[in-house]
Amino acid sequence: MNENTTVLISGAGIAGLTLAYWLRRHGFEPTVVERAPAIRAGGYKVDIRGAALTVAERMGLMDEIRARVTGVRSGTVVNAAGRQVASMDGDTFGGRVHGDAELLRGDLHQLLYKNTDAEYLFGDSIVGLTQTDTGVEVAFESGLVRTFDLVVGSDGLHSATRALAFGPEEEFLRDLGHRIAIFGVPNHLGLDREEVTFIGPGRTALAYSTGDGADAKAMFLFRSGESDGTAVPRGREAQERALAAAYEGEGWEVPRLLDAMSAAPDFYFDAVAQVHMDRWSSGRVALLGDAAYCASPASGQGTSLAMVGAYVLAGELAAAGGDHRAGFAAYEREMQPFVERNQKLGPANLKRMVMRTAGAVRMSMAMLGLMNRMPGRERLMAKVIAPIHAAATAIALKEY
């Protein structure tokens, strides 16, 4: 019989939903609070790799995941005039090997939600935490006050739970000196399960479609200065101005893609940043996923870290009989090497994704064009993909 059976999870993202699933499997009583009014749909595409595939298999979800994969067939790099420089199959372009699965974030959210038995508090959030010897008194934005045995913050890069239990985010966020923006655009390029990338000096833009419909996604990744970064502008209008200024005068389809941002209902803009902490628990409060150890979108491992971390956290709590001190400590021991390995991918990948100078862009385009014509290019790409796969499998999952 577990002690500390009632667990409040802040955030109904991939980490929070996966944790709720495994906590219930291990006999706990999870409650999930989510600021949004419902489980989020849509979103950009994400990858499930390596050890996270094992987690999904142990949840019995792989058939449903395979049925929802994006099926992106090809990835192409173009120059400013739109001329193709290199092209490869979608899995190679996305760094996917050994059964890695790509699907829309919203599809994964819906799948996890459908298969999870938990109490949900939608349209609310945590605004206060008071720890005692026997539990955590939680104050909600709605005015509700409840007590739980444990609280887990899985509420993302800008975690409110982390701020309440550990301190301001400035103490833990490490800006990687880049900004990212993603939003829906009309599919004027006529993409059908295709991705097209343009690389300019200090800035990259891409568009992709996961079907043959009228909609596509545009993503922009650009340098913002030194690693301490300039502050991320507040408010959507300021963010749109910053994005437009960063790509002013750029070629390819960039102006047309930017024209669509003001009408996009799903506009997202933020720093490319990581979270580094000495510990992920404080008393009866623990952190999970991006809130604890964000590796940045450049790592390609956010989803996998979320799922693996949730599996390990729930498993170690169960192995400790609900003893949070022992369970949280074991979770940190198991996950720390895996997290460190995957966080190293972010800065390394950024160097390949965003070229610093026009000269570097020209050299990169020349190398891509040459490689595209060479026999055995698959072997060359395998060497590029190898570090991602090695990091994704750098943990031996216990059978809890």
Side-chain angles (χ1 to χ4, degrees):
M1 177 69 70
N2 292 321
E3 59 177 289
N4 296 325
T5 57
T6 61
V7 184
L8 176 66
I9 303 167
S10 177
I14 293 166
L17 293 171
T18 305
L19 179 64
Y21 173 92
W22 284 108
L23 286 175
R24 179 66 75 182
R25 277 273 293 264
H26 291 306
F28 295 88
E29 299 174 19
T31 297
V32 182
V33 60
E34 167 58 44
R35 179 182 294 276
I39 294 296
R40 299 178 191 273
Y44 50 88
K45 50 192 180 71
V46 298
D47 290 298
I48 304 175
R49 309 178 193 268
L53 292 171
T54 303
V55 174
E57 287 167 0
R58 293 179 183 178
M59 297 171 78
L61 298 181
M62 281 311 302
D63 286 346
E64 292 187 86
I65 286 172
R66 297 290 180 207
R68 290 166 171 78
V69 295
T70 62
V72 171
R73 300 176 300 178
S74 67
T76 302
V77 179
V78 298
N79 61 18
R83 183 176 63 84
Q84 177 179 304
V85 175
S87 183
M88 59 198 75
D89 69 87
D91 284 342
T92 301
F93 196 76
R96 288 179 294 279
V97 292
H98 304 296
D100 297 350
E102 179 187 72
L103 66 167
L104 294 180
R105 176 179 289 274
D107 287 349
L108 183 54
H109 283 163
Q110 296 290 340
L111 179 58
L112 292 170
Y113 177 62
K114 182 183 75 171
N115 285 276
T116 298
D117 178 18
E119 176 191 14
Y120 287 90
L121 306 175
F122 287 110
D124 212 345
S125 60
I126 298 174
V127 294
L129 296 171
T130 303
Q131 296 200 50
T132 69
D133 291 339
T134 58
V136 186
E137 183 181 273
V138 181
F140 295 89
E141 189 174 29
S142 63
L144 179 70
V145 177
R146 285 176 59 178
T147 298
F148 298 86
D149 294 327
L150 304 173
V151 173
V152 178
S154 60
D155 42 353
L157 178 66
H158 304 293
S159 168
T161 311
R162 186 184 61 225
L164 289 169
F166 295 84
E169 70 175 35
E170 292 78 14
E171 296 181 17
F172 311 112
L173 260 62
R174 183 177 300 175
D175 193 327
L176 299 184
H178 292 69
R179 301 291 175 260
I180 186 171
I182 305 172
F183 51 89
V185 296
N187 190 8
H188 66 265
L189 292 172
L191 302 174
D192 178 5
R193 289 166 290 158
E194 301 167 273
E195 183 170 333
V196 183
T197 298
F198 165 73
I199 301 172
R203 50 198 183 183
T204 294
L206 63 87
Y208 66 84
S209 175
T210 55
D212 58 357
D215 297 322
K217 294 285 185 185
M219 187 181 89
F220 300 85
L221 183 64
F222 63 97
R223 285 177 52 79
S224 60
E226 298 303 317
S227 58
D228 59 355
T230 54
V232 175
R234 293 182 177 274
R236 176 160 174 170
E237 289 186 7
Q239 291 171 354
E240 288 187 14
R241 288 195 299 271
L243 182 58
Y247 285 82
E248 186 176 4
E250 194 54 274
W252 184 53
E253 296 286 335
V254 168
R256 194 171 179 185
L257 293 172
L258 289 175
D259 284 344
M261 69 178 165
S262 294
D266 56 350
F267 180 83
Y268 171 84
F269 184 102
D270 207 346
V272 178
Q274 294 185 336
V275 173
H276 290 263
M277 305 183 71
D278 294 332
R279 56 193 172 91
W280 306 323
S281 62
S282 176
R284 292 176 172 271
V285 180
L287 300 175
L288 172 67
D290 281 357
Y293 35 77
C294 178
S296 86
S299 73
Q301 275 293 90
T303 297
S304 291
L305 282 169
M307 294 183 72
V308 172
Y311 174 83
V312 172
L313 175 55
E316 293 296 347
L317 275 173
D323 180 344
H324 63 283
R325 296 176 185 86
F328 290 165
Y331 157 64
E332 294 185 3
R333 285 195 304 271
E334 286 292 309
M335 284 295 294
Q336 192 68 50
F338 185 59
V339 166
E340 290 176 359
R341 185 80 173 266
N342 282 278
Q343 284 190 324
K344 290 178 181 177
L345 292 175
N349 288 346
L350 278 172
K351 292 177 181 178
R352 291 192 294 268
M353 298 166 74
V354 182
M355 306 295 164
R356 287 177 175 265
T357 64
V361 171
R362 287 193 296 271
M363 182 176 295
S364 176
M365 293 300 101
M367 291 297 293
L368 281 170
L370 179 63
M371 187 179 71
N372 198 54
R373 298 188 296 271
M374 289 176 62
R377 61 176 179 167
E378 291 79 10
R379 291 194 300 273
L380 293 173
M381 283 305 301
K383 292 181 179 180
V384 176
I385 295 170
I388 301 173
H389 179 66
T393 55
I395 186 171
L397 294 179
K398 298 179 182 178
E399 289 271 10
Y400 293 103

